Structure formats: structure tokens, C-alpha cells
Amino acid sequence: VAVIELAHKADQSPSQREGARHLSTVAVEIASEFERNWQLRQLRDREQRREKLDRFLDDVHRTYDLRHVAYAIVAGGRELIDCDRLSLVLKKGRRCRAIAVSGVQQPDRRSPTVRCIERLVKSKIRETEPKWYEQAPEDPKFSILADYLAESNAKSVGLLPLFSSLG
């Protein structure tokens, strides 16, 4: 709710007061129309995000093939969260392997960036909470993070561990 107060000078003529009332009415109508259009844009944006999420979920659940699911996660997830690159690294035994990287059909295991992300994930595998880094702390224990940031040209990196309830 908004209120417009019109305080007229005592010596204003009735026509000036009527003009001010008319002007304020037009201003209120314009502001109301702007608000309605803004709300409509918000609803459209929300609906578009829901449609993207539905497409993402359909793609991810289309098959049980690990490579397809991993690629669907990084390709669709990258678009959903609006980032430059999304990688999915899987721990198998003591090793960590990048099984999907957005923008490529299959990660190149010899790529320095892929090797760095695998080393980074392996170094943080015991972490259970998501971690976000804008830059690597000066502490030597973060040298792998610094290497990844330098190699990938990333401005920031988020590590979000995913755990299976299947064991």
C-alpha cells in the first residue's frame, strides 16, 4: 500500500489543485501498471526456472546409465545454477575420477584441469559440508586449491559433497 499526500498552498486556485490531483492520479496509475508488469515478469521468470528444472530432472532420470546421468547433471546443472563449468567427480576406492565436465562429451584424463580437480576433490574428500572458495588461503595445505584455481582460471570454486545412502 502506498499513499500520496498532496499538500496545497493556501493561495492555490481550484484549477491548480485539480491539476495536481489529476497529475497525481496519472502518476499512481503509471506506478500501479509498472508494479503489475514487474510482478508478471517475476511470475514468467519463476515459470521458466520451473520448466528448466523439470527438463533437468527428466534428463537426469531418463536412464540408469552412469555416464548419461553424470553428463545430464553437469550439462543441465550448469545452466540451472548459471556457472561457467560444472564437474562431477566420483570416488572409486582410493581414487577420484572426473566422470563428467560440462561442455565436453567425455573428460580428457590427461588435461591439467581435470587432473587438478581430481586432486582437489581427493584432498577434500573427508569434508561433509559444502565449501566455497574465492581464493586459496596462504596456508600450504591449500596448495592443491591454489593449483586448481590457477589452472582453471576460475574466480571461485564450490565443492559440494554428495553421499549415497546405498553405501
Side-chain angles (χ1 to χ4, degrees), residues 3-9 17-25:
V3 174
I4 293 183
E5 175 188 14
L6 294 176
H8 299 285
K9 293 180 182 178
R17 289 181 184 178
E18 183 57 36
R21 272 190 231 114
H22 178 70
L23 181 61
S24 63
T25 301

Side-chain angles (χ1 to χ4, degrees), residues 47-61:
E47 182 61 26
Q48 287 174 347
R49 285 192 303 273
R50 281 192 187 126
E51 288 172 1
K52 279 183 185 180
L53 181 59
D54 285 343
R55 282 193 306 272
F56 171 74
L57 293 173
D58 287 345
D59 286 347
V60 168
H61 291 94

Side-chain angles (χ1 to χ4, degrees), residues 4-35:
I4 293 183
E5 175 188 14
L6 294 176
H8 299 285
K9 293 180 182 178
D11 62 345
Q12 262 187 332
S13 71
S15 66
Q16 287 175 321
R17 289 181 184 178
E18 183 57 36
R21 272 190 231 114
H22 178 70
L23 181 61
S24 63
T25 301
V26 170
V28 167
E29 289 172 1
I30 291 171
S32 294
E33 186 174 333
F34 176 82
E35 176 68 18

Side-chain angles (χ1 to χ4, degrees), residues 3-118:
V3 174
I4 293 183
E5 175 188 14
L6 294 176
H8 299 285
K9 293 180 182 178
D11 62 345
Q12 262 187 332
S13 71
S15 66
Q16 287 175 321
R17 289 181 184 178
E18 183 57 36
R21 272 190 231 114
H22 178 70
L23 181 61
S24 63
T25 301
V26 170
V28 167
E29 289 172 1
I30 291 171
S32 294
E33 186 174 333
F34 176 82
E35 176 68 18
R36 278 190 303 273
N37 289 336
W38 181 82
Q39 288 177 349
L40 183 59
R41 279 192 305 274
Q42 294 296 316
L43 290 171
R44 280 189 202 135
D45 290 347
R46 190 178 310 151
E47 182 61 26
Q48 287 174 347
R49 285 192 303 273
R50 281 192 187 126
E51 288 172 1
K52 279 183 185 180
L53 181 59
D54 285 343
R55 282 193 306 272
F56 171 74
L57 293 173
D58 287 345
D59 286 347
V60 168
H61 291 94
R62 186 163 309 193
T63 180
Y64 292 114
D65 176 64
L66 177 62
R67 296 239 180 254
H68 174 80
V69 171
Y71 184 76
I73 289 171
V74 298
R78 180 188 161 280
E79 183 181 345
L80 275 177
I81 63 175
D82 193 28
C83 65
D84 292 332
R85 179 176 40 249
L86 189 60
S87 302
L88 184 60
V89 179
L90 185 64
K91 179 181 184 274
K92 285 188 174 184
R94 300 173 88 184
R95 297 178 56 186
C96 290
R97 290 190 68 135
I99 59 171
V101 176
S102 60
V104 296
Q105 287 293 326
Q106 185 169 340
D108 179 4
R109 302 265 314 122
R110 296 169 295 176
S111 160
T113 305
V114 170
R115 287 183 179 183
C116 280
I117 191 66
E118 289 173 344

